[in-house]
Amino acid sequence: MRNFGYFRTTSAAEAVQAGTTPQVHILAGGTNLVDLLKYRIEQPAALVDINRLPWHDIEELPDGGLRLGALTTNAATAYDVRVRARYPLLSSAILAGASAQLRNAATNGGNLNQRTRCPYFYDVAAACNKRTPGSGCAAIGGHNRDLAILGASESCIATFPSDMAVALRVLEAQVRLLGPDGERVVPIADYHRLPGAEPWRDNNLLPGELVTAIDLPPSDFGQHYTYLKIRDRLSYAFALVSVAVAMRLDEAGRIQEARIALGGVAPKPWRVASAEAVLEGQLPSAEAFGVAADELLAGALGQGENDFKLTLARRTIVRACQQAAAGTPQSQSDKHIR
């Protein structure tokens, strides 16, 4: 590992100023950044440790929502009594990710900013437009079993690995940022990017900007929800396909509102408004959920080894919708599919 400087700061302004320097990286939980250092993917001149900034709390918002500090750990967020009671979908999604040890260190801001787990991104000898712009994409035509079937481009077919962000997309969270020009708020839907011709840009952060918090709007999706994650093993693993669902049903059992987001299949959490619209006014059924799944997966394209995801994703969407409608959310402690 190459030598680098290490600095701690208690000043948000100092952290922002440091972040405008390309060779200075921000360190929070470090669960992804340290890996990138070990693989020599990132070789910064210095790290600025922001863990002493006051962004560790979960706070009530005047409108009945919650504000999650960027430096609050994933574990603290998942087990917070207010999150578990009012946003059980988020708690479930976080508990589906990583291991208990990692969740104790990983932060909410870092979770949003983690890099892809595409094997070619981590192999510095391989072509990867996300790691080395203009070098090509070895995953296209290569080993692509885990990679994207939606939202990919000719430059990159990597997926975004977060579980938490998939739930945040359903909950329509807002990401609060602080940068050289002050504060701004970005909807989670607009935070992450599709690769297009610039796959090295994972999100819409501007130079020097830091995530300070994630705002959750008031929610009444505490009864009909689920986070169903399909992976290669029941211990910690990244999703082959994951589905976050939240529904609101009327007294007759018809679907008033449905929200569905996918993980493990695209470069960002994937949500399609038209797929949700087809469920409005419908009684829950496998047929109706199948129609929604087909709309969600419109344009999906396999790359060879990951062709199986086309079928797996459709089945997972239908199963997740059935779980949510029945009010029988997927358990993340007993991970057998119900």
Side-chain angles (χ1 to χ4, degrees):
M1 185 180 293
R2 196 175 75 172
N3 291 334
F4 54 82
Y6 171 81
F7 306 95
R8 285 176 172 168
T9 183
T10 57
S11 164
E14 191 173 76
V16 167
Q17 178 60 37
T20 61
T21 304
Q23 290 304 309
V24 174
H25 286 23
I26 301 297
L27 176 67
T31 55
N32 186 207
L33 178 57
V34 173
D35 277 347
L36 299 175
L37 296 175
K38 290 190 291 187
Y39 281 94
R40 298 178 180 271
I41 297 165
E42 299 289 359
Q43 299 186 44
L47 298 182
V48 174
D49 187 334
I50 62 170
N51 282 291
R52 295 185 178 181
L53 295 179
W55 301 335
H56 293 265
D57 296 328
I58 298 177
E59 303 172 357
E60 295 282 353
L61 293 173
D63 64 358
L66 283 180
R67 176 165 295 165
L68 312 176
L71 295 175
T72 310
T73 66
N74 285 176
T77 302
Y79 291 118
D80 183 273
V81 293
R82 294 161 294 181
V83 173
R84 296 181 71 176
R86 289 146 59 180
Y87 307 94
L89 171 61
L90 177 60
S91 178
S92 181
I94 292 174
L95 294 177
S99 64
Q101 293 90 339
L102 287 168
R103 294 194 296 268
N104 283 332
T107 63
N108 292 333
N111 192 305
L112 294 185
N113 294 330
Q114 63 183 300
R115 308 300 307 274
T116 181
R117 263 60 177 186
C118 175
Y120 296 103
F121 177 75
Y122 282 83
D123 180 359
V124 295
C128 175
N129 286 318
K130 185 177 284 293
R131 173 174 34 77
T132 308
S135 63
C137 177
I140 298 176
H143 178 60
N144 51 51
R145 179 176 180 274
D146 296 339
L147 301 181
I149 58 173
L150 290 162
S153 75
E154 295 180 352
S155 299
C156 182
I157 59 172
T159 53
F160 182 60
S162 171
D163 294 290
M164 183 184 81
V166 182
L168 292 177
R169 185 74 193 273
V170 163
L171 296 170
E172 300 185 343
Q174 304 277 318
V175 185
R176 302 187 69 85
L177 306 174
L178 176 65
D181 295 326
E183 293 182 299
R184 68 184 180 115
V185 178
V186 177
I188 188 71
D190 299 328
Y191 185 78
H192 297 103
R193 295 170 54 94
L194 296 180
E198 297 179 320
W200 55 93
R201 297 183 62 191
D202 294 335
N203 54 54
N204 286 310
L205 277 176
L206 300 174
E209 281 191 322
L210 302 173
V211 178
T212 62
I214 300 166
D215 287 354
L216 299 175
S219 170
D220 58 354
F221 292 115
Q223 183 176 1
H224 295 285
Y225 75 92
T226 197
Y227 186 72
L228 178 56
K229 178 178 179 179
I230 305 299
R231 60 195 112 181
D232 281 328
R233 59 187 184 196
L234 290 179
S235 60
Y236 68 96
F238 295 105
L240 293 169
V241 177
S242 67
V243 184
V245 182
M247 288 183 187
R248 186 177 298 109
L249 274 60
D250 64 19
E251 293 181 352
R254 295 186 181 276
I255 299 168
Q256 289 183 307
E257 181 180 4
R259 299 181 187 177
I260 310 169
L262 307 181
V265 296
K268 61 184 290 185
W270 193 261
R271 188 175 168 194
V272 177
S274 59
E276 299 168 358
V278 301
L279 293 176
E280 293 179 7
Q282 300 287 323
L283 288 170
S285 69
E287 291 74 19
F289 298 144
V291 173
D294 290 339
E295 188 70 18
L296 258 168
L297 296 171
L301 178 66
Q303 300 287 337
E305 288 187 355
N306 67 351
D307 289 350
F308 73 99
K309 282 191 174 184
L310 299 170
T311 301
L312 180 65
R314 189 181 191 281
R315 292 176 177 175
T316 308
I317 293 164
V318 172
R319 179 66 64 90
C321 288
Q322 289 173 321
Q323 289 181 351
T328 55
Q330 181 66 29
S331 169
Q332 302 305 341
S333 55
D334 177 2
K335 299 173 184 173
H336 294 84
I337 296 175
R338 302 301 182 189

